[in-house]
Amino acid sequence: MDTDEVEVVVAHSERATLRVGDVFLKVDADEARIDAEVEAMSLAPVPTPEILWRKPPVLAIAALPGTTLGSLGGPSTGSSAAWAAAGAAIRKLHDAPLPPRPGRAGRSIAALAAELDGECQLLVTRGLLPADLVTRNRRAAEAALRPWTPAFTHGDLQIAHVFVDGDEVTGIIDWSEAGQGDALYDLATFTLGHEEHLDDVLAGYGDDADLEVIRAWWSLRSLLTVRWLIDHGFDPFAPGCEVEVLRSRM
């Protein structure tokens, strides 16, 4: 990449990420979120980007070697061994000593159920999704609303946040939602829209993950995300994205 070129990686009203050469600039007005990201990267027992400097509201990190395993709605890349290596890295994270604070995956059952019910109502009343699609997935999501043992979770473990070089994980980015949480939330986020690689991931992670709960999280996470994506200019109706995930549960 030309070092004079500025690439907008992602941008919305809450934060933005820019790339200049081999440097990523994360701009976030919420300093606590940057604090959480820096802390999580220092504690995580998996490869993370090098922090170059920090001057609020900007955090500068070095680019990672390799490429991502794909993106939601895009083609998945990498061998089965690469997906298994990602599963092994996720397991290493989940088995690590707990970080000091709860993360995105650590919301209480009561808070999550209340948020889900409110979101489902808005999806229907605003006419964003058909009522039967919402109702069916709300029922499917129920299996995720159960007691869980806290783990060190990433909290936003999209496949676009995991980099590999060949069959080796070279790093995991975007730790602002990290903290104590439900391990299966991470596994569901990582495999969302790429169910065909779930067996590969579990081959590296271990076979003790509850598949029913992972599938429940696919429904739950998608229901909670659709309206936010629409309101921020993204398209959850694109092929392979959240709405297609919800339809696949029917």
Side-chain angles (χ1 to χ4, degrees), residues 16-30:
T17 301
L18 311 175
R19 181 173 185 173
V20 184
D22 289 331
V23 177
F24 285 89
L25 302 175
K26 302 192 70 173
V27 184
D28 194 330
D30 186 345

Side-chain angles (χ1 to χ4, degrees), residues 10 74 76 194:
V10 64
S76 60
H194 291 286

Side-chain angles (χ1 to χ4, degrees), residues 163-213:
F163 284 71
V164 297
D165 186 0
D167 298 336
E168 178 183 354
V169 174
T170 57
I172 301 175
I173 64 172
D174 284 357
W175 292 83
S176 61
E177 308 286 356
Q180 297 180 28
D182 180 359
L184 297 188
Y185 178 90
D186 272 355
L187 288 174
T189 302
F190 186 64
T191 55
L192 185 74
H194 291 286
E195 184 174 352
E196 72 278 8
H197 287 292
L198 179 57
D199 287 345
D200 295 330
V201 173
L202 294 182
Y205 185 86
D207 60 3
D208 56 340
D210 190 320
L211 297 182
E212 181 186 7
V213 174

Side-chain angles (χ1 to χ4, degrees), residues 42-91:
S42 72
L43 297 174
V46 296
T48 61
E50 177 188 1
I51 298 175
L52 301 175
W53 50 266
R54 178 184 178 187
K55 186 175 181 181
V58 181
L59 175 67
I61 61 176
L64 289 169
T67 59
T68 68
L69 284 169
S71 62
L72 183 62
S76 60
T77 58
S79 65
S80 294
W83 283 86
I90 296 168
R91 186 56 178 254

Side-chain angles (χ1 to χ4, degrees), residues 88-164:
I90 296 168
R91 186 56 178 254
K92 187 175 183 180
L93 174 67
H94 290 168
D95 286 345
L98 293 176
R101 68 185 83 194
R104 179 67 176 169
R107 288 163 289 175
S108 71
I109 296 172
L112 196 58
E115 181 182 359
L116 179 60
D117 288 340
E119 200 62 37
C120 288
Q121 183 177 1
L122 286 171
L123 289 171
V124 175
T125 57
R126 285 182 50 178
L128 300 176
L129 291 177
D132 61 338
L133 182 65
V134 172
T135 299
R136 177 67 177 270
N137 278 275
R138 174 61 183 86
R139 285 200 298 265
E142 193 70 28
L145 302 175
R146 87 284 175 225
W148 41 268
T149 301
F152 190 153
T153 53
H154 180 279
D156 190 23
L157 198 61
Q158 304 173 47
I159 59 172
H161 293 163
V162 178
F163 284 71
V164 297

